[in-house]
Amino acid sequence: MKLNLANILTLLRIAAIPVVVVCFYSSIPYARPIAAVVFGLAAITDWVDGWVARKFGQTSRFGEFLDPVADKLMVSIVLVMLVQADSGWFEDIIAMIIIGREITISALREWMATIGERANVKVTMAGKVKTALQMFGIAFMVYRNDLFGVPMYTLGFALLVVAAVMTIWSMIIYLRAAWPFIMADQPE
């Protein structure tokens, strides 16, 4: 396998995860804001690596596999940290919705690929909006401190609530697209 810029960006996103974790739990001044900035920069690479891959013909099977893995690892790990650090029942429910949806849709895509119908559950605009809301919401919640009088944690939480709604909506879209294939072998 030959590494290209798109794949290197994806690998950097994965490499950023332990940096975010260490900063998040560190007692150094501004640790949470530093963790949020690293998370935010890593989140931006999600868009950049896809753009680079398409623009410069750097798409690869390795990249197609690794990109969603990087996203799901980053989101899931940081959501678990937020739930552990700033837990409330509503935060817990949102994390369950987001992580549960990621597991469900990953399994659905894998199954659809085995029956040759992967194209029927490709990424939609609703999925992209959901991801953007998640990334901003999580980054703001990790930042936690107010910034120029803006309550970043509260803003992030509000974005994550909207992301949870979009998470459910996009999951319904994917499941509706797959439903005829799921039910195809069921007796009438």
Side-chain angles (χ1 to χ4, degrees), residues 31-53:
R32 290 274 298 254
I34 292 168
V37 169
V38 173
F39 179 89
L41 290 172
I44 289 168
T45 68
D46 181 30
W47 178 80
V48 174
D49 67 9
W51 180 82
V52 166

Side-chain angles (χ1 to χ4, degrees), residues 46 67-77 79 93-111 118 121 123 126-135 138 160 163-164 166-172 174-175:
D46 181 30
D67 183 64
V69 170
D71 298 342
K72 285 158 187 42
L73 281 173
M74 196 167 80
V75 167
S76 298
I77 288 168
L79 276 174
I93 299 281
I94 290 171
M96 287 182 228
I97 289 169
I98 292 171
I99 294 170
R101 181 263 189 204
E102 296 304 337
I103 292 167
T104 302
I105 298 307
S106 292
L108 179 67
R109 285 188 175 132
E110 180 181 340
W111 178 75
R118 172 90 162 90
V121 287
V123 176
K128 291 179 181 191
V129 170
K130 178 261 324 167
T131 299
L133 290 168
Q134 275 180 9
M135 296 302 188
I138 291 169
L160 210 56
M166 288 297 298
T167 294
I168 293 168
W169 176 247
S170 68
M171 184 173 71
I172 290 169
Y174 292 125
L175 289 171

Side-chain angles (χ1 to χ4, degrees), residues 5-40:
L5 180 58
N7 291 340
I8 290 169
L9 289 169
T10 303
L11 289 168
L12 285 173
R13 188 159 66 255
I14 293 170
I17 295 168
V19 176
V20 172
V21 172
V22 168
C23 289
F24 186 89
Y25 289 113
S26 175
S27 60
I28 66 169
Y30 305 106
R32 290 274 298 254
I34 292 168
V37 169
V38 173
F39 179 89

